[in-house]
């Protein structure tokens, strides 16, 4: 069994694989699920360790092709986090009679994995939910569908895809796996506590969007809508990402799963066929393609992924991998664990969460001044001249030395 819990990403492959049902998942003090073994049921077969994707990690890969892409259906693109490419892929599988797995909200606004067999069913999966989704027993049910010969598209975080592959231990021709570039997943219990403080009765909510595009894709909003029956003066909350408390804490990495700070599935190690993301920086790479309504970054990692992607009716342009990485550091690197994370988890059970997040996610006066000065310097003509001079000096070939290629 994985001995160092900080590496466990809670994919539940061990729990679903155990023939003796000796493993159950228990929530820890931070609200993340970790495996727990019932020693009286365990026969020490070692299967859980053998298949653990945090121990047996995949290999680093480079994508075969990289695209900036949009779903031509403007309504779907508006409802999606980036360019709506997930829905195009998913519709393709459903139209072939297949099954699509993704993350959705349940009736209590918790995030859970489930499957859909109709295009209408895909609506619940659309849009990023910035909470670790509970994978449940979806690896098992996906295997059942695969064995009956149905096409299965399984979407999830890179670690969930690594978990599925570890669970299956076999390649299926009828399986297509789609992950996304992942910043990290927040604690489900932090999300629950935040929502309960924000809204008296979560059953009055009719929709939640972490990526509402009403004012644009780059400055997206966190939005909650209430059902008309709710006794509310204001039937909606819409706050830009730099104003909303939960988003500020998420983007300052206050409550991500510990394994996200040293993610074992980065650099396409999950084994997925296709990786999707926001094409951040598209305004520099392909300015004419950017309309601030959302552009997906699509990385095709396998021949199977390429075969399906080539069949889609999409609007796309091929780009370089390094252009994509320039605007999206989390493709290759995990985010650092800030010192304030420990402070947050020391206090979050004892205090109201909204003021706590606001306090920890706000920079001190000195830090704000430093950040502003750094930004101004970066844009100043003197700094640009300094960089130019440095580049010239660094490329001058000293006598008797060879420059590296
Ligand atoms: C926690 C999280 C962190 C992310 N971090 C980054 C990042 O750092 N950089 C970046 O470029 N993109 C990131 N993304 C991906 C990005 O937000 C979009 O999901 C991606 O661009 C696909 O968008 P789309 O328009 O094609 O489709 P959408 O319709 O927006 O895609 C939805 C897909 O995401 C899945 N999904 C949604 N929430 C979850 C969840 N909690 N767990 C598992 N699967 C989920 C759905 O099942 C579906 O497959 C992140 C997404 C999530 C959920």
């Amino acid at each position: 069994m994985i001995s160092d819990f900080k590496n466990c990403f809670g994919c539940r492959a061990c729990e679903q694989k155990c023939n003796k049902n000796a493993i159950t998942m228990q929530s820890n003090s931070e609200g993340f699920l970790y495996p727990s073994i019932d020693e009286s049921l365990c026969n020490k077969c070692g299967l859980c360790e053998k298949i653990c994707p945090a121990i047996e990690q995949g290999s680093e890969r480079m994508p075969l092709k990289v695209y900036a892409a949009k779903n031509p259906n403007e309504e779907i693109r508006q409802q999606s986090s980036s360019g709506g490419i997930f829905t195009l892929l998913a519709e393709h599988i459903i139209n072939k009679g297949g099954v699509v797995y993704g993350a959705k909200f349940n009736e209590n606004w918790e995030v859970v994995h489930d499957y859909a067999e109709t295009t209408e069913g895909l609506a619940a999966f659309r849009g990023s939910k910035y909470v670790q989704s509970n994978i449940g027993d979806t690896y098992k049910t996906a295997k059942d569908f695969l064995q009956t010969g149905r096409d299965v598209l399984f979407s999830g975080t890179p670690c969930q895809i690594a978990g599925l592959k570890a669970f299956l231990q076999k390649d299926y021709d009828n399986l297509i796996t789609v992950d996304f570039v992942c910043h990290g997943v927040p604690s489900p219990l932090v999300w629950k506590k935040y929502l309960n403080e924000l809204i008296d009765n979560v059953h009055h909510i009719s929709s939640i969007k972490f990526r509402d595009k009403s004012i644009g894709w780059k400055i997206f909003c966190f939005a909650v809508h209430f059902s008309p029956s709710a006794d509310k003066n204001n039937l909606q909350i819409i706050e830009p990402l730099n104003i909303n408390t939960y988003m500020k804490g998420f983007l300052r990495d206050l409550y991500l799963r510990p394994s996200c700070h040293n993610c074992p599935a980065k650099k396409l190690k999950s084994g997925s066929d296709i990786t999707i993301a926001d094409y951040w920086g598209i305004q520099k790479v392909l300015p004419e393609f950017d309309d601030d309504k959302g552009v997906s970054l699509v990385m095709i990692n396998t021949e199977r992924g390429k075969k399906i992607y080539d069949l889609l009716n999409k609007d796309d342009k091929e780009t370089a991998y390094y252009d994509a990485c320039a605007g999206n550091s989390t493709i290759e690197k995990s985010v650092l664990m800030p010192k304030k994370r420990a402070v947050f988890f020391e206090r979050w059970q004892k205090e109201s969460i909204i003021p706590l997040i606001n306090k920890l996610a706000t920079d001190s006066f000195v830090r704000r001044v430093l950040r502003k000065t750094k930004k101004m310097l970066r844009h100043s003509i003197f700094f640009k001249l300094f960089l130019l001079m440095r580049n010239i000096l660094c490329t001058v070939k000293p006598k008797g030395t060879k420059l590296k290629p």
Side-chain angles (χ1 to χ4, degrees):
M1 173 85 320
I2 183 163
S3 50
D4 192 351
F5 263 6
K6 80 174 190 303
N7 294 329
C8 168
F9 38 69
C11 69
R12 306 183 80 146
C14 56
E15 179 204 28
Q16 295 184 66
K17 195 77 183 172
C18 179
N19 302 323
K20 297 282 168 196
N21 293 326
I23 301 177
T24 51
M25 301 300 285
Q26 310 284 343
S27 181
N28 76 348
S29 62
E30 296 183 346
F32 294 106
L33 292 177
Y34 285 90
S36 161
I37 303 178
D38 181 339
E39 296 294 344
S40 67
L41 295 175
C42 174
N43 64 355
K44 309 268 183 295
C45 70
L47 190 59
C48 51
E49 272 187 339
K50 214 163 100 193
I51 62 136
C52 174
I55 299 172
E56 295 299 325
Q57 297 180 16
S59 316
E60 287 179 16
R61 299 178 300 167
M62 283 289 280
L64 306 177
K65 294 269 178 193
V66 177
Y67 297 96
K70 295 175 198 166
N71 188 325
N73 182 327
E74 288 297 321
E75 215 179 306
I76 299 281
R77 186 153 70 105
Q78 183 66 15
Q79 294 159 8
S80 308
S81 299
S82 55
I85 293 302
F86 161 72
T87 301
L88 270 187
L89 287 162
E91 281 173 350
H92 176 81
I93 297 297
I94 298 274
N95 291 338
K96 281 172 72 188
V99 186
V100 172
Y101 282 78
K104 67 174 199 182
F105 289 111
N106 68 11
E107 60 287 358
N108 296 319
W109 300 100
E110 296 155 338
V111 181
V112 295
H113 249 68
D114 200 355
Y115 67 85
E117 296 178 89
T118 62
T119 49
E120 293 77 34
L122 296 177
F125 300 152
R126 259 193 293 280
S128 299
K129 291 103 188 158
Y130 294 127
V131 185
Q132 180 164 35
S133 83
N134 190 333
I135 206 87
D137 64 353
T138 51
Y139 294 165
K140 273 188 187 166
T141 61
K143 185 177 177 186
D144 292 343
F145 283 124
L146 288 166
Q147 285 178 333
T148 63
R150 274 178 88 177
D151 284 306
V152 172
L153 182 154
F154 201 103
S155 71
T157 60
C159 58
Q160 288 171 334
I161 299 302
L164 171 70
K165 299 233 156 198
F167 171 82
L168 294 174
Q169 291 281 295
K170 176 178 169 216
D171 191 25
Y172 288 84
D173 288 342
N174 47 338
L175 172 67
I176 175 107
T177 50
V178 178
D179 61 3
F180 45 81
V181 171
C182 184
H183 180 94
V185 285
S187 156
L189 275 192
V190 169
W191 164 243
K192 196 176 179 138
K193 193 163 187 238
Y194 166 76
L195 204 58
N196 282 327
E197 278 184 27
L198 185 72
I199 292 144
D200 332 323
N201 186 346
V202 296
H203 294 108
H204 288 162
I205 299 171
S206 61
S207 79
I208 298 181
K209 279 190 163 194
F210 287 88
R211 298 287 302 265
D212 177 277
K213 290 180 177 170
S214 48
I215 61 166
W217 164 55
K218 294 187 199 87
I219 309 267
F220 59 85
C221 292
F222 172 83
V224 182
H225 289 91
F226 300 96
S227 49
S229 60
D231 181 22
K232 289 241 159 228
N233 296 333
N234 196 351
L235 286 177
Q236 60 184 29
I237 298 170
I238 302 187
E239 295 176 339
L241 72 158
N242 53 340
I243 302 290
N244 174 257
T245 302
Y246 184 83
M247 287 307 297
K248 281 196 292 183
F250 167 53
L251 294 170
R252 294 296 172 98
D253 311 321
L254 291 182
Y255 29 77
L256 301 181
R257 193 174 176 104
S259 58
C260 299
H261 296 287
N262 189 20
C263 174
K266 287 274 170 220
K267 301 193 179 172
L268 309 180
K269 277 169 29 182
S270 69
S272 66
D273 295 299
I274 297 178
T275 301
I276 50 180
D278 290 278
Y279 206 126
W280 299 130
I282 190 70
Q283 66 277 22
K284 290 185 191 151
V285 182
L286 288 168
E288 68 288 356
F289 202 59
D290 174 32
D291 54 7
D292 202 28
K293 290 182 185 169
V295 178
S296 292
L297 162 66
V298 184
M299 293 187 272
I300 308 294
N301 306 324
T302 62
E303 284 303 328
R304 192 179 302 162
K306 183 174 182 311
K307 224 165 147 183
I308 291 189
Y309 181 76
D310 286 347
L311 292 172
L312 305 179
N313 170 30
K314 71 271 169 193
D315 181 8
D316 69 352
K317 301 217 182 290
E318 192 167 349
T319 77
Y321 175 65
Y322 294 102
D323 279 336
C325 290
N328 211 330
S329 61
T330 46
I331 296 175
E332 296 203 335
K333 288 189 209 138
S334 303
V335 292
L336 295 175
M337 187 185 284
K339 286 196 184 112
K340 286 180 178 176
R341 185 187 185 282
V343 180
F344 174 79
F345 279 113
E346 232 171 72
R347 294 167 52 179
W348 80 295
Q349 298 279 28
K350 300 172 222 148
E351 298 179 27
S352 297
I353 212 172
I354 293 180
L356 177 64
I357 300 172
N358 277 331
K359 188 159 189 259
L360 295 176
T362 307
D363 282 339
S364 66
F365 177 70
V366 177
R367 227 170 214 283
R368 277 205 307 272
V369 171
L370 277 175
R371 200 147 43 93
K372 281 227 164 95
T373 316
K374 225 165 134 187
K375 205 170 165 188
M376 271 161 56
L377 260 178
R378 226 181 295 135
H379 289 102
S380 79
I381 183 83
F382 297 112
F383 187 63
K384 283 182 183 149
L385 273 175
F386 163 75
L387 284 182
L388 189 72
M389 289 302 291
R390 197 187 62 175
N391 286 348
I392 293 170
L393 287 172
C394 289
T395 47
V396 172
K397 186 181 163 189
K399 267 186 196 162
T401 56
K402 268 188 182 175
L403 283 179
K404 280 187 183 160

